[in-house]
Amino acid sequence: MRCKPVMHAAQRRALLLCALLAASGRALAHAALVRSDPARRATLSKPPTQIRLWFNERLEPAYANISLFKDRAGAIVHAPGQVDKTDAKLLVLDLPPLAPGAYTVKYRVLSVDGHSVESSYTFSVTQAPGSP
């Protein structure tokens, strides 16, 4: 006599729950910063001309903002960032010439899944524009 594998009701429910959780993981995800230029905690010998932030999800251009703060001086730039036309996961902000010092990048984005993400990171510049 051969035994047939039998899945009990509790096992079926557990399997279904696992499948639902695995499928919903993508729907529950938020845009996460995966790379930045300048990088987090970078010390730069030359000031950057742009802030470039790459995310793991496409961004809603109308709801993407970046602010740049210097030390305790307040906001240097507070503007809507530009979502790249060819890469909807890339947010770009053009910068004015930056003096040496510590800077904080603050960003708030809305991903196409409808979730907003707000965070910040720091970098520093050791030389002024035009310095050798």
Side-chain angles (χ1 to χ4, degrees):
M1 176 184 220
R2 258 183 130 171
C3 294
K4 291 184 181 178
V6 176
M7 188 178 290
H8 296 283
Q11 290 172 319
R12 283 193 301 267
R13 282 192 295 266
L15 184 60
L16 179 61
L17 179 62
C18 287
L20 288 173
L21 288 174
S24 68
R26 179 134 174 102
L28 296 175
H30 302 312
L33 183 65
V34 294
R35 187 169 63 133
S36 62
D37 183 23
R40 204 176 282 267
R41 295 183 297 277
T43 299
L44 308 172
S45 59
K46 295 182 181 178
T49 58
Q50 291 184 324
I51 295 172
R52 298 168 60 83
L53 306 177
W54 286 267
F55 293 86
N56 65 335
E57 294 186 8
R58 291 179 297 126
L59 304 174
E60 288 288 349
Y63 301 99
N65 292 292
I66 304 176
S67 298
L68 181 66
F69 295 84
K70 182 177 187 300
D71 298 329
R72 295 172 192 94
I76 302 293
V77 180
H78 176 73
Q82 298 296 320
V83 174
D84 190 82
K85 290 177 176 36
T86 59
D87 182 358
K89 297 177 184 180
L90 172 60
L91 184 62
V92 179
L93 179 67
D94 290 324
L95 299 175
L98 300 179
Y103 291 88
T104 300
V105 175
K106 293 186 178 184
Y107 60 88
R108 181 179 173 90
V109 297
L110 179 71
S111 58
V112 293
D113 70 359
H115 293 100
S116 64
V117 173
E118 187 171 353
S119 191
S120 63
Y121 72 93
T122 60
F123 70 91
S124 60
V125 176
T126 60
Q127 290 186 4
S131 296

